[in-house]
Amino acid sequence: AQSVTQPDIHITVSEGASLELRCNYSYGATPYLFWYVQSPGQGLQLLLKYFSGDTLVQGIKGFEAEFKRSQSSFNLRKPSVHWSDAAEYFCAVYSSASKIIFGSGTRLSIRP
Amino acid sequence: NAGVTQTPKFRVLKTGQSMTLLCAQDMNHEYMYWYRQDPGMGLRLIHYSVGEGTTAKGEVPDGYNVSRLKKQNFLLGLESAAPSQTSVYFCASTESGAKNIQYFGAGTRLSVL
């Protein structure tokens, strides 16, 4: 069965520092992978997605993610975080019949 | 452009009461979903619909019912609320197909006392 694991529940980084959020997936074939962001009190918004091709994908708000099949990973990165990046981040994988499975989320806090 | 609208935004129920959550989308999307979000568990799919008049069970359907009488609306019902249904509920919609982005509403925070 498909699954997504986000091993970090909560991460705190300093403003201006680089960021990497980890995501590992379990899927038999080539996965469709997503990163969503949830700002406090809001719904989820798509940051980026990977379906095929170039393994480094660019998203909105300066985020990027790299698909590594050998490690079953799809980590999210940003070179320099801003205070407005404080939010919860969800990795997700397509399951079947247009359903996607979400990870448990990583909460990002920004240190001034 | 409203996107996905959920009503109400907040609700407090007593155990055993019933209520209906409404989700409306104005993007002419075929697929609609109801999720619940609980701390440390991410989003779990309750029910979904692949078109007007259709519904299907997701991962955690027990205690909930849904209806999709109109393409733009997807209703989630709790017939007899239980404290275990205290959660934040999100509705989402997408065009048909796995590659399409899901668009989310702002959520409904439900407390069952």
Side-chain angles (χ1 to χ4, degrees):
Chain A
Q2 299 88 352
S3 65
V4 176
T5 301
Q6 293 182 248
D8 303 306
I9 296 173
H10 183 206
I11 286 180
T12 300
V13 300
S14 297
E15 190 167 16
S18 63
L19 170 70
E20 183 168 25
L21 302 182
R22 297 184 291 166
C23 172
N24 293 98
Y25 67 89
S26 172
Y27 192 81
T30 300
Y32 296 160
L33 295 160
F34 309 83
W35 274 101
Y36 282 83
V37 60
Q38 183 183 28
S39 298
Q42 301 295 315
L44 279 69
Q45 179 186 21
L46 183 75
L47 280 176
L48 48 79
K49 60 187 185 293
Y50 171 79
F51 296 146
S52 64
D54 192 347
T55 57
L56 185 64
V57 293
Q58 302 297 320
I60 62 171
K61 305 184 181 186
F63 285 92
E64 66 178 27
E66 186 171 13
F67 170 63
K68 293 185 178 180
R69 184 187 300 275
S70 61
Q71 299 178 18
S72 297
S73 69
F74 188 57
N75 294 350
L76 182 71
R77 301 195 295 245
K78 187 169 185 178
S80 176
V81 298
H82 185 262
W83 63 267
S84 60
D85 294 324
E88 188 146 21
Y89 292 80
F90 293 93
C91 183
V93 64
Y94 168 72
S95 173
S96 62
S98 283
K99 294 181 288 185
I100 60 175
I101 296 172
F102 290 88
S104 55
T106 297
R107 183 161 62 93
L108 174 65
S109 298
I110 306 297
R111 190 184 302 118
Chain B
N1 187 1
V4 179
T5 303
Q6 292 183 234
T7 52
K9 289 183 170 51
F10 304 94
R11 186 71 185 268
V12 178
L13 291 178
K14 295 181 180 178
T15 298
Q17 286 185 318
S18 63
M19 78 163 294
T20 300
L21 282 66
L22 171 63
C23 177
Q25 53 96 2
D26 61 3
M27 296 173 282
N28 201 36
H29 285 167
E30 289 291 336
Y31 289 57
M32 297 186 74
Y33 307 81
W34 277 107
Y35 295 92
R36 59 178 289 171
Q37 183 180 30
D38 302 293
M41 303 188 75
L43 274 74
R44 292 181 293 168
L45 182 64
I46 305 171
H47 286 281
Y48 65 104
S49 168
V50 301
E52 182 179 318
T54 74
T55 63
K57 294 180 179 179
E59 180 186 359
V60 289
D62 294 341
Y64 305 95
N65 57 76
V66 288
S67 64
R68 183 100 180 267
L69 299 180
K70 294 183 178 181
K71 185 177 184 178
Q72 63 267 35
N73 295 337
F74 195 30
L75 278 63
L76 177 70
L78 287 72
E79 290 185 346
S80 179
S84 61
Q85 295 178 304
T86 294
S87 188
V88 181
Y89 292 86
F90 287 99
C91 176
S93 72
T94 185
E95 297 175 16
S96 60
K99 295 187 177 184
N100 290 293
I101 301 165
Q102 291 196 11
Y103 293 86
F104 285 81
T108 296
R109 185 173 296 276
L110 175 66
S111 293
V112 182
L113 305 178

